[in-house]
Amino acid sequence: MNNAKTWFPIALKVLLGSVFIVSAVLKILDMDRFELYIYSYHFFSLNFSFLVARAAIIVELVLGIMLVFNCLHKPIWWGSMAMLVGYTLLLLYAIAIGRTDNCHCFGDVLRFDPKQSILKNGVLMGLFMLVYKAKEWKTPFRILIFCFALMASTIAVFVVSPPDNFTPSYKPEHNLQMELFGEALSNPPLDSLNLTDGKEVICFFLTGCDYCQMAAHKLSLMQQFYGFPAENITFVFMGSREGIERFFERSQSARYRSVLFEDVRNLLKITNGNFPLLVFLDNGNVVHQYGFRSMKEEEIGTFFLPRIK
C-alpha cells in the first residue's frame, strides 16, 4: 500500500511530463503556424513572436523533462501550474474576442478550439493537484539536470527550427520575370484590374500549397493590424475555383480579390516556378518581392502609409 502511495504520484508526474514533451515537439513540427498564432494576437511584432513561440516551447520542454526525472519538485510544480494558468487566461481572452480557431497546443495534429483547450488545461491542473506532495528524487545533480535540460531544449528548438529573422533571408528578387510580368498586367485576366495605378499587392499562390496559405494568413494579419486597404490586394491563383474556396478556408485569410490564372505555363514562367510570391507595386513599378520566409513586417506595414490618414 505504501509503495502504491509512493509510486503513483511519481508515475503520474512522468505521464504529465510526457504530455508536456509531446506538446512541445508537436509545436516544433508546426512552428510556422504556431508563430502566426502568437503573432495573430498582436501583442508582439512578427520578429518578436518568433522568439516568444520558441521560448514557450523551451519552457514546456524543460518542465516536461524535469517532471519525468522527478527533480526540483516544488519549483517545477509551481512553474507547470503557472504555465497552465497563463495559457488558460490567454484562451479566455481568445473566447472573449470571439476566436474559435485551433490553439496549437498540440500543433496541427490534435486540433483544440479555446473551449476544448481550457477543459484540457483544467484536467491537467487537476492531475497536478494529485502530485503536489510527491516525493522528489533527491539527487545532488538535480541542478545539473535542470541546466542540461534548459541547454538541450534551447539548442534543439533553435537548431530544428531557427527563426526566419535569425537566418540569412531567402531573397526572391530574381524569381519574378519582369518582362513577362509586365505583359501579364496588360492582358487578361489582370488587365481589367488597373494594377498599374497606385499601390497594389499581387500575390501568386498555388491553391494546395501550405506555405502559400500561411503567407496569405501572414499578409492578412498585417493588413488588418496596420489597416492598409484590402481592395488593393489581389490573389492570383494557379489551380481550380474549388481549390480557391478551400484555400481561403484553410488559410484563415481575409477574402481579398482573387483571380484564377488559367494559362499555367505562362504563370510558371512569370514566377520562375516559385510560390508563394508576393509582389508590391507602386504605379506599376516593383518595389518589393517576398517569399513566405522573407516577408518583412516593417516594410509591408509602411508600404501604404502615405495613403493612411
Side-chain angles (χ1 to χ4, degrees), residues 4 12 15 35 56 84 98 101 142 144 190 193 205 210 215 218 221 238 242 246 250 269:
L12 189 51
L15 175 62
E35 291 170 344
L84 290 170
D101 53 321
R142 54 188 181 275
L144 186 61
L190 303 181
L193 303 180
F205 295 141
D210 284 345
K218 187 185 290 188
L221 291 172
M238 187 173 84
E242 296 79 10
R246 288 194 298 272
R250 294 174 181 174
K269 290 179 180 178

Side-chain angles (χ1 to χ4, degrees), residues 57-110:
I57 292 171
I58 291 167
V59 169
E60 196 167 19
L61 272 175
V62 171
L63 290 173
I65 292 169
M66 297 305 290
L67 285 165
V68 169
F69 278 93
N70 195 27
C71 294
L72 300 175
H73 172 70
K74 283 297 175 65
I76 297 303
W77 189 91
W78 282 108
S80 300
M81 290 294 281
M83 182 184 73
L84 290 170
V85 169
Y87 281 146
T88 300
L89 291 175
L90 176 64
L91 292 165
L92 288 171
Y93 173 73
I95 292 172
I97 61 176
R99 294 188 60 158
T100 59
D101 53 321
N102 178 23
C103 66
H104 297 273
C105 52
F106 288 104
D108 205 39
V109 175
L110 294 174

Side-chain angles (χ1 to χ4, degrees), residues 224-239:
Q224 292 164 16
F225 180 68
Y226 288 100
F228 53 79
E231 62 270 18
N232 292 72
I233 298 174
T234 304
F235 286 1
V236 179
F237 289 103
M238 187 173 84

Side-chain angles (χ1 to χ4, degrees), residues 92-143:
L92 288 171
Y93 173 73
I95 292 172
I97 61 176
R99 294 188 60 158
T100 59
D101 53 321
N102 178 23
C103 66
H104 297 273
C105 52
F106 288 104
D108 205 39
V109 175
L110 294 174
R111 301 176 66 86
F112 287 83
D113 65 29
K115 292 181 180 178
Q116 292 169 332
S117 193
I118 288 174
L119 178 61
K120 178 262 299 176
N121 288 351
V123 171
L124 291 176
M125 285 189 279
L127 293 175
F128 267 105
M129 294 303 296
L130 297 178
V131 302
Y132 178 71
K133 294 183 179 181
K135 302 289 185 181
E136 73 169 286
W137 182 32
K138 294 289 187 180
T139 172
F141 301 109
R142 54 188 181 275
I143 300 299

Side-chain angles (χ1 to χ4, degrees), residues 235-287:
F235 286 1
V236 179
F237 289 103
M238 187 173 84
S240 65
R241 298 198 182 279
E242 296 79 10
I244 293 175
E245 286 302 309
R246 288 194 298 272
F247 181 95
F248 281 115
E249 291 172 6
R250 294 174 181 174
S251 68
Q252 299 178 298
S253 162
R255 287 185 172 262
Y256 302 113
R257 177 173 54 192
S258 61
V259 175
L260 180 64
F261 205 99
E262 295 181 346
D263 189 346
V264 173
R265 182 175 296 182
N266 190 32
L267 183 58
L268 289 172
K269 290 179 180 178
I270 291 169
T271 65
N272 206 24
N274 290 281
F275 297 90
L277 182 59
L278 290 74
V279 182
F280 286 65
L281 294 176
D282 189 352
N283 291 316
N285 298 311
V286 176
V287 179

